Amino acid sequence: MSLFSERLVRYDDLIPCKNAFIDTRSPGSDQKENFTIIGPGVAENPNQHVHISIAHGFNIGGARQPAGCLNSQHSHLTEEIFVVHSGTWVFYTGVDGNDAKVTLNEGDIISIPMDIFRGFENVGDGIGYLYAVLGSDDPGRVLWAPQVFDMAKEFGLILLENGSLVDTTLNEKIPDSVQPMAKTTPEQIAQHRVITDDDLAKTVIRTSEFNWCKNSYLSQFEGVFEAPLVGKLNAESLIKAQLNWSHGFNISALKLMPNSSIPLHQRFEEEVIFVQQGSLKVDLVSEQIILNKGDTFSVPINQLRKYSHESGDECIVYITRRNDIPKDPSFK
């Protein structure tokens, strides 16, 4: 058994929850699969499976949906990032989803601020998968648009004040000690921003716009490129991250050409790797792990690691680290 098995989540081994939220039976939303990969997430079902429970300073999850499947309008208490792993997705803002919209394709990334209602839909031809990062160890609860409560009640689901769901179709009852969650009020709605298509477009980085650089610690090696995406400017790069407001975490894209590698080094925060395309060999001294498309791996703090990509097309991974500005790596 691998020493690092508790930190490795294969895409094929993801355990979905099909009733994680209050809109799980609403028409158009009833076929979505939600995943909690790192941290407790924001699921309203206590049976949601958590793959990696180790605190990282952020949460990572996923949403897999067939074509035409919608995630209802809601907002979060922390920043939320999506990477489109597969499919074509439309993101809608506003309490009714009518304020702004933008379409994203594979590899594109979007950061939706916490004071904006958002929903998203797979508008592609097949199954699509979104990889998501939420700020903080405890990202809080979802605030749903008021119409979501009405739809849920029609299909037997009631959300409680403690964030859990009651399914009346299974003869579940509301506990005497807990009240149903109040429907979102006009005052709560008024605390959210109304934005335009142009505003929403500023929260997106398309793969064609990635600022691949060669002046970071990791990209100094032949055949390796890094694109700072989320976070603040620091010594690692003279190029500012493109989504450079505070998130509480840092994300960059790393591109390795065939037969390229990054030598042994240490990091001083957990380093979460998500493989967008290709395969990455991770050498951890005591063992090697091959990460394939869709896999997620969290490298422990201070663990020596070497990355390499040996054959095929270029390998692209997204790397998430704690804090807006991570510490510089130490090479051995």
Side-chain angles (χ1 to χ4, degrees):
M1 183 177 179
S2 169
L3 296 173
F4 303 94
S5 58
E6 67 174 357
R7 290 177 170 268
L8 173 63
V9 182
R10 300 283 187 193
Y11 180 81
D12 291 342
D13 295 334
L14 284 170
I15 298 175
C17 184
K18 296 186 178 181
N19 55 351
F21 295 108
I22 189 176
D23 68 338
T24 191
R25 294 202 183 112
S26 301
S29 299
D30 54 356
Q31 299 180 64
K32 62 181 179 178
E33 297 178 304
N34 291 96
F35 305 94
T36 300
I37 299 173
I38 293 177
V42 292
E44 293 156 353
N45 186 334
N47 296 319
Q48 170 89 47
H49 179 78
V50 177
H51 288 82
I52 300 174
S53 59
I54 302 163
H56 281 61
F58 51 85
N59 278 238
I60 288 181
R64 189 165 60 199
Q65 301 176 193
C69 187
L70 178 73
N71 224 302
S72 304
Q73 298 304 112
H74 63 282
S75 69
H76 287 284
L77 296 176
T78 63
E79 303 287 345
E80 182 177 42
I81 293 276
F82 288 105
V83 172
V84 178
H85 181 61
S86 60
T88 300
W89 297 76
V90 173
F91 290 80
Y92 308 92
T93 70
V95 68
D96 296 310
N98 296 323
D99 290 351
K101 71 175 183 178
V102 66
T103 301
L104 273 65
N105 296 298
E106 290 187 10
D108 295 345
I109 182 172
I110 184 170
S111 173
I112 307 178
M114 63 188 80
D115 57 353
I116 294 173
F117 278 103
R118 80 293 306 269
F120 44 89
E121 180 181 6
N122 175 11
V123 298
D125 295 329
I127 300 292
Y129 180 66
L130 293 175
Y131 179 81
V133 184
L134 278 166
S136 181
D137 283 321
D138 180 6
R141 298 174 186 162
V142 173
L143 181 68
W144 295 100
Q147 67 271 16
V148 180
F149 289 88
D150 297 330
M151 287 191 296
K153 195 170 182 179
E154 289 181 26
F155 294 93
L157 293 177
I158 299 173
L159 182 62
L160 303 182
E161 282 185 335
N162 63 6
S164 61
L165 282 175
V166 167
D167 188 342
T168 61
T169 68
L170 299 177
N171 295 319
E172 294 178 358
K173 304 294 184 182
I174 298 174
D176 292 337
S177 58
V178 185
Q179 294 296 313
M181 185 173 287
K183 188 186 299 186
T184 303
T185 65
E187 290 76 18
Q188 289 174 302
I189 295 171
Q191 294 172 0
H192 290 71
R193 281 192 289 153
V194 174
I195 63 172
T196 66
D197 288 345
D198 287 342
D199 294 328
L200 186 58
K202 294 175 183 176
T203 70
V204 171
I205 314 174
R206 302 191 183 280
T207 52
S208 60
E209 300 167 348
F210 281 14
N211 204 350
W212 296 110
C213 68
K214 288 292 294 176
N215 58 347
S216 70
Y217 285 115
L218 298 186
S219 65
Q220 63 179 297
F221 305 103
E222 185 176 354
V224 180
F225 302 83
E226 187 168 15
L229 300 175
V230 173
K232 299 287 188 178
L233 179 68
N234 69 340
E236 284 212 37
S237 176
L238 300 178
I239 301 175
K240 186 182 294 186
Q242 291 170 268
L243 301 174
N244 58 12
W245 60 91
S246 177
H247 288 71
F249 54 86
N250 179 284
I251 300 177
S252 62
L254 196 63
K255 178 164 62 176
L256 289 84
M257 307 306 291
N259 302 312
S260 63
S261 64
I262 301 169
L264 279 176
H265 61 285
Q266 287 177 304
R267 280 284 184 181
F268 306 101
E269 313 87 10
E270 282 99 354
E271 183 171 58
V272 179
I273 303 166
F274 174 70
V275 181
Q276 176 66 16
Q277 68 179 60
S279 63
L280 183 73
K281 179 189 286 186
V282 181
D283 188 334
L284 300 163
V285 182
S286 61
E287 65 179 279
Q288 293 181 343
I289 296 174
I290 304 297
L291 301 178
N292 298 308
K293 184 175 180 179
D295 292 346
T296 300
F297 180 61
S298 173
V299 187
I301 297 171
N302 294 324
Q303 172 66 45
L304 284 170
R305 80 288 311 266
K306 173 184 176 181
Y307 301 142
S308 58
H309 174 52
E310 296 181 347
S311 62
D313 296 331
E314 62 191 25
C315 171
I316 295 178
V317 301
Y318 291 84
I319 294 179
T320 305
R321 306 183 189 98
R322 186 194 300 261
N323 301 325
D324 289 312
I325 303 175
K327 294 181 180 178
D328 298 340
S330 173
F331 286 88
K332 301 302 177 183

